Amino acid sequence: MENIQPKEPTGLKLFLLTIRSYAFPATVIPVIYGTIIAGLFNPGIKINFFLFFLTMVGALAIHVVSNVVNDIYDFKKGIDREDPEIGIPHGGSMVLSKGWVSMNSMVMITVISLLLAVGIGLYIWTQCGNWILYLMIFGGLLAVYYTAKPLSLKYKALGDIMVFIGFGVGVTLGSYIVQTKEFSWMPVVLSVPVGLLIIAILHSNNIRDLYFDKTFGIKTLPILVGEKLSKYIYDILIIGAYLSVIIFVAFGFLPWLALLNLLTLPTAIKLVRMLKDIPRASIERFNMGTQHNLLTAKFNMQFGLLLNIGILIKILFI
């Protein structure tokens, strides 16, 4: 079985591969969700679509920083380099290990994206207050030190909790504050389902790479608890996302139309079953694991969009 890898991409396709655009649902959904929650809990509020657009671009820019810095440090550590003798395929976005993009270009993308995120963040801060500044500083540090030294949180099995806090809670809360200009615990609490599914994307990736990562002595949750328990944890993340929405609806925090996301259950079941059959052999594992990771990101988008559409219907028409 041949390894699933893109062949000599160029132009926009290469750029999207470099920044790992497939994972952008982890940013897009929380931005939309936080904005819609602001409208739900503040009847009559006028959504500022210009600030919404800036929030989306700024959040995506900091996501790019996190993805590219991750590739840079993984490549330097040797994690993403192919080693046929021990069965390790190209990892990460593969653009460095295959020589499609130079290290200088990766650094340039990082710097430009960081400057864009900081510039947008500073402007939004002047419009929306100090909470945006605090979240911007936290998000920037998290994006860089998720992989970069001296913290290298990813290598210490802290990646899951960091993406939950940074993308799930942080982006949802920040998007809410941009529209309301005030802090509230409600978006923090309601960020749970989107945060769990963001962890699911990372967890799927780490299960795929369990044996590859172990070779380099780094720690991820699957390495700490083993493959069997890791599969159960993935199941819990998926079930937890649905269950949290059901609980929020039952307590009146979200409208019943938020349950539109139950339409994604067939995809969720497919993902759970698919992961149970992931092979042990390196190339086959990488192939199926990559498909599973991409489908988990796609599922994140479907779940989030239906959740947001349900809430939006309530705001606009009921």
Side-chain angles (χ1 to χ4, degrees):
M1 183 182 295
E2 294 184 359
N3 194 7
I4 297 176
Q5 297 179 5
K7 298 179 180 180
E8 301 181 2
T10 58
L12 179 60
K13 185 176 180 180
L14 177 58
F15 178 72
L16 293 176
L17 179 63
T18 301
I19 62 177
R20 299 199 209 185
S21 60
Y22 73 87
F24 282 176
T27 293
V28 171
I29 292 302
V31 171
I32 298 173
Y33 189 50
T35 303
I36 290 177
I37 289 174
L40 179 66
F41 287 94
N42 299 272
I45 190 175
K46 185 177 180 180
I47 298 298
N48 188 319
F49 287 99
F50 176 64
L51 289 180
F52 167 78
F53 171 76
L54 289 182
T55 303
M56 183 69 77
V57 174
L60 286 172
I62 206 65
H63 194 164
V64 170
V65 171
S66 180
N67 287 346
V68 177
V69 169
N70 179 77
D71 267 2
I72 289 172
Y73 276 86
D74 277 358
F75 181 75
K76 287 182 176 180
K77 199 174 179 66
I79 297 173
D80 286 346
R81 302 188 190 193
E82 184 180 36
D83 190 335
E85 292 186 8
I86 57 178
I88 297 177
H90 292 281
S93 66
M94 299 181 287
V95 297
L96 281 173
S97 61
K98 282 187 168 292
W100 291 335
V101 177
S102 69
M103 182 63 73
N104 286 340
S105 295
M106 296 291 275
V107 172
M108 183 180 300
I109 291 173
T110 302
V111 172
I112 292 174
S113 299
L114 186 59
L115 289 175
L116 177 62
V118 170
I120 289 174
L122 289 175
Y123 174 77
I124 294 178
W125 168 46
T126 65
Q127 304 299 306
C128 304
N130 287 338
W131 271 105
I132 294 300
L133 179 63
Y134 305 148
L135 289 171
M136 179 181 69
I137 293 173
F138 175 76
L141 292 174
L142 180 61
V144 173
Y145 292 111
Y146 174 76
T147 313
K149 297 179 179 179
L151 299 181
S152 300
L153 298 168
K154 169 190 171 182
Y155 302 141
K156 299 173 182 175
L158 294 173
D160 301 77
I161 188 64
M162 289 298 101
V163 298
F164 180 87
I165 295 173
F167 287 96
V169 177
V171 177
T172 301
L173 174 61
S175 302
Y176 177 94
I177 293 174
V178 165
Q179 300 299 328
T180 64
K181 299 180 174 56
E182 60 183 27
F183 175 86
S184 170
W185 284 106
M186 191 55 67
V188 175
V189 173
L190 294 180
S191 69
V192 169
V194 295
L196 290 177
L197 291 188
I198 291 169
I199 294 178
I201 298 174
L202 176 62
H203 194 63
S204 168
N205 179 83
N206 288 342
I207 290 175
R208 180 197 68 184
D209 294 345
L210 192 159
Y211 301 106
F212 312 142
D213 288 344
K214 188 181 292 186
T215 304
F216 295 92
I218 68 175
K219 295 179 181 178
T220 62
L221 184 58
I223 289 174
L224 292 181
V225 304
E227 180 169 320
K228 183 176 180 180
L229 185 54
S230 291
K231 292 178 180 179
Y232 288 129
I233 291 174
Y234 181 87
D235 298 348
I236 291 170
L237 292 170
I238 300 300
I239 294 170
Y242 286 110
L243 186 59
S244 59
V245 173
I246 293 172
I247 291 173
F248 293 151
V249 170
F251 280 89
F253 297 145
L254 292 178
W256 68 268
L257 282 166
L259 296 176
L260 276 175
N261 62 14
L262 292 175
L263 293 173
T264 61
L265 270 172
T267 303
I269 294 171
K270 176 182 177 180
L271 286 168
V272 168
R273 289 176 175 173
M274 183 178 177
L275 189 61
K276 292 188 185 305
D277 296 327
I278 189 169
R280 175 65 174 82
S282 59
I283 300 302
E284 289 79 4
R285 184 183 187 87
F286 185 80
N287 287 346
M288 181 179 286
T290 298
Q291 291 176 348
H292 187 269
N293 195 224
L294 293 173
L295 285 173
T296 300
K298 184 178 180 180
F299 168 69
N300 183 304
M301 178 66 84
Q302 294 170 344
F303 182 104
L305 284 178
L306 286 172
L307 173 64
N308 286 321
I309 289 171
I311 300 172
L312 196 56
I313 291 174
K314 166 63 171 67
I315 294 173
L316 296 178
F317 304 110
I318 299 178

